[in-house]
Amino acid sequence: MAIKVLPAQARPVEKRPAAPAQAERIRRVQRLTAYALLVLASAASLLPLLWMLTTALKPAGAVLEFPPRFIPDVFTWSNFPDAWMSLPFNTFLVNSVVVTTLSIVGNLISCILPAYAFARLRSRMRGMAFTLMLGTMMIPAQVVIVPRFLLFSKLDLVDTFWPLFLPNFFGTALYIFLLRQFFTTIPQELVEAARIDGAGELRILWRIMIPLSKPAIATVTLLSFVGAWGEYIDPLIYLRSTENYTIPLGISLFRGQYSDDYNLMMAVSILALVPVIVVFLAAQKYFIRGIMLTGIAGR
Amino acid sequence: MAASPLVRREARRFHLFALPWTIGFVFFTGGPIIVSLVLSFTRYELLSAPEWVGLDNYVQLLRDPDFWVATRNTIYFGAASATAGVVYSLAAALLLNIKLRGQAIFRTIIYMPSVISGIATALLWIHVLHPDYGLVNYLIGLLGVQGPGWLTDASWAIPGLVIMTTWTTGNAMIIFLAGLQGVPVSLYEAAHIDGAGWWSRFRNVTVPMMSPVIFFNLVVGFIGSLQAYQLILFMTDGGPANSTLVLGLYVYRYAFKYFEMGYASTIAWALFFLVIVFTVIQFGLARRWVHYEVK
C-alpha cells in the first residue's frame, strides 16, 4: 500500500512572520492530512485482524460467499469452542505454556548476566568475545540447525521439550546486545558508589541495574515470549508425538484437517493470538520505549 | 607485566558472568558452525557414519537447477521484502513522529502486527490473500481491478508474501522513530526560513540525516529476509511450481525430509555466502549515499 510521505517535523515550523491566518490554515491542512494518513495506516494494520474476527464468527458456508460480508448475519460464537475442541488444543496450550515459560526464564537469566559483564566488567577477553558475539548474529540459523539436531538426537532428547528451551538458557546474542546497550547508559557513578559501600556485583546488578533497566528487560521478555510462543520450525523438527505438540504445530495439524473451514481456522488463530495481544497491550509502553532506547541509542 | 589483584579479580568475575554465553557459544553456535562446515564436505544420511566426499557436494550444488531457482527466489524475496519494509516503515515513522493528539494509540496499532506475526497470522494471511474470498482482492475489486492469484499463481506468490512481511515491519519503524527524534529541529527551522517546502525538507534534511539509520534497517532487513523460511514453509511450502522455494527452505528440505545432512549443510553455507556477499555490496554502495556527521 502506498503511503504518502510527510515531512518529519510538521510541528513547530511556522516561525515566519507570514499572515497568521494563512499560517494557521496551512497547519490545519497539514494536520488533517497527517490524521488521514495515520487512519489509513492503522486500517492497514487492523483490517486483516478484524477480517479474521468476523470470519471466525461466520457460520459454515458463509465464509465463501462473494462479495464477502464484513458483519455476519448470525454471530456463530460456537465456532470458538468447536474449533478448539476438535483437536487436543488444551494439551497443546499446556505444552506451549511450559516451553514458553522456560524459554523466557532461561533468556532472562542467561542474557542479563553476560550483558552486565559486557557492559561493566573489564577483562582482556572482553573486546574479542563481544566481537565474536556480534559476529554470530550474522550466521544464518540454517547453518547451525543440522549440528544442533545431531547433538540433541545423540543426547536422545528428540520428542522432548529440551531442544526447544535449553538453548535459551545459554544466551541469545541479540538480547545480550540489547541489554548491554541499555546497561552502558546507566551512570557509572552509581555503580562506583555501590562498590565503595561494599556491594558485590550480583547485588549491584539486582539492586541498581535491573530496576533501572525495566524497559530493556520488558523488551527482551516480550521478544522472547513472542519468539517462543510462535516458534514453528524447532517444534516441527523435534516433536514427534501429537501429545507433545505446541500450539503452532497444532495449528498446522488443524489446517491439514479443516483447510476449507476458514471460519474455524480463523477462530483457532484468534485463540492462539489472544495471549500475545494481551501481553503486548499490557507491556507496550515499556516495550516501544525499550526498543527505541536499546535499538539505536548506544550506537 | 603482572596484573594487579583487583584487575584479575574483575576479569574472573567477567568470565563468571559471561559463562552462560560462553557455554552457549561452544555448544549451540560456535561448535555447530565448525561441525556444519565439516559436514558440508561429507555424505551423511544419519544411518551410517559421515563419509568424506571432498568438494562433491559443492560441485553437485552448482549443477543443481533447483539450487539456482532457490537462489534467485531468495534474492528476489530478500530485496523486495527489505525494500518494501524500509519504505513503509520510514513513511509510518515520519507520520508517527508528528506531534498530534492520540499519537500513542496510532503507534500501538501500527506496531501491533509485528508482535503477533507468527503461524497464527500466517493462517490469517492465507485467508486474507485468498484469490476469490480474500480481503486484499476484495479491496482491489472495489477499485474495479481483478486481483491476481496471490500464493497460488507462480508469478504472484512472492509479491503476496512481501505484502505480508511489510505488514510486520514494526521494529524497523520504531528504530526510524528513534532516529527521527535525533534530527536537530534547528535544521528544519533553517530550511523553512530558506523557504523549503516539505518535500525539499524531506530530501535535503531528513534523508541525509537519517541515512545511517536507513542503511542499518536496510542491511538488517535484508539479512533477515534472506534467511526467512518459517512462514514460507507453512504457507506455500515452496510452491506453486517452486516459485517460493528459498534457500532456507531448501536446507530444511534436504535436512529433515530427505535426511541428507551433508548436502543440507552445503546449501546452508551457500546461503551464508550469499548473505555475506549482499552485506558487503551494501556496505560498498553505502559510501555513495550514507552520510555520517563529522564529529
Side-chain angles (χ1 to χ4, degrees), chain A residues 117-223:
Chain A
F118 282 123
R120 282 297 145 83
L121 297 171
R122 276 156 305 186
S123 152
R124 268 186 310 175
M125 303 291 281
R126 187 170 84 176
M128 200 192 75
F130 193 62
T131 312
L132 216 55
M133 189 185 77
L134 293 186
T136 62
M137 287 165 58
M138 280 275 300
I139 308 279
Q142 288 85 358
V143 169
V144 295
I145 202 172
V146 165
R148 278 193 192 187
F149 175 77
L150 297 175
L151 175 69
F152 283 117
S153 45
K154 290 272 188 286
L155 294 173
D156 211 13
L157 291 175
V158 171
D159 206 20
T160 70
F161 294 152
W162 287 89
L164 308 184
F165 70 80
L166 194 63
N168 293 316
F169 273 84
F170 296 99
T172 304
L174 174 68
Y175 302 157
I176 296 177
F177 178 69
L178 288 180
L179 289 168
R180 183 240 175 218
Q181 297 302 91
F182 202 92
F183 287 166
T184 52
T185 64
I186 292 172
Q188 178 69 17
E189 293 79 30
L190 278 176
V191 177
E192 296 299 345
R195 276 190 190 147
I196 290 167
D197 290 347
E201 300 300 333
L202 269 179
R203 199 179 167 79
I204 293 172
L205 183 59
W206 186 250
R207 283 293 171 79
I208 298 175
M209 303 306 260
I210 291 179
L212 289 176
S213 308
K214 277 186 202 149
I217 291 172
T219 304
V220 168
T221 309
L222 186 63
L223 288 176

Side-chain angles (χ1 to χ4, degrees), chain A residues 64-85:
Chain A
L64 302 187
E65 77 190 13
F66 202 87
R69 228 175 293 187
F70 246 90
I71 312 292
D73 292 334
V74 200
F75 285 70
T76 321
W77 292 102
S78 60
N79 281 344
F80 288 100
D82 286 354
W84 190 259
M85 291 306 170

Side-chain angles (χ1 to χ4, degrees), chain B residues 119-269:
Chain B
I119 291 303
T121 48
L123 199 58
L124 151 72
W125 277 90
I126 292 172
H127 184 45
V128 170
L129 290 171
H130 194 291
D132 301 325
Y133 316 109
L135 177 66
V136 171
N137 276 3
Y138 170 66
L139 291 177
I140 296 177
L142 292 181
L143 305 172
V145 181
Q146 168 77 50
W150 309 106
L151 306 184
T152 55
D153 179 334
S155 46
W156 288 102
I158 285 188
L161 292 172
V162 170
I163 294 178
M164 179 185 69
T165 57
T166 307
W167 192 64
T168 60
T169 43
N171 287 331
M173 181 189 87
I174 289 185
I175 291 170
F176 276 135
L177 205 49
L180 283 172
Q181 292 178 354
V183 180
V185 178
S186 59
L187 287 180
Y188 289 107
E189 283 166 358
H192 198 264
I193 289 164
D194 290 346
W198 68 263
W199 173 247
S200 160
R201 290 201 299 269
F202 173 73
R203 270 210 49 191
N204 299 314
V205 180
T206 311
V207 171
M209 290 303 288
M210 289 287 287
S211 58
V213 190
I214 298 174
F215 177 63
F216 173 84
N217 275 333
L218 206 56
V219 170
V220 170
F222 211 154
I223 291 177
S225 46
L226 284 176
Q227 303 166 32
Y229 73 110
Q230 171 163 298
L231 298 183
I232 300 177
L233 170 64
F234 178 79
M235 293 175 75
T236 61
D237 195 14
N242 276 349
S243 61
T244 57
L245 177 66
V246 290
L247 284 173
L249 188 57
Y250 205 42
V251 175
Y252 173 84
R253 242 182 224 182
Y254 267 95
F256 302 106
K257 273 192 164 161
Y258 312 148
F259 295 103
E260 292 189 27
M261 297 299 177
Y263 195 54
S265 303
T266 313
I267 305 168
W269 280 91

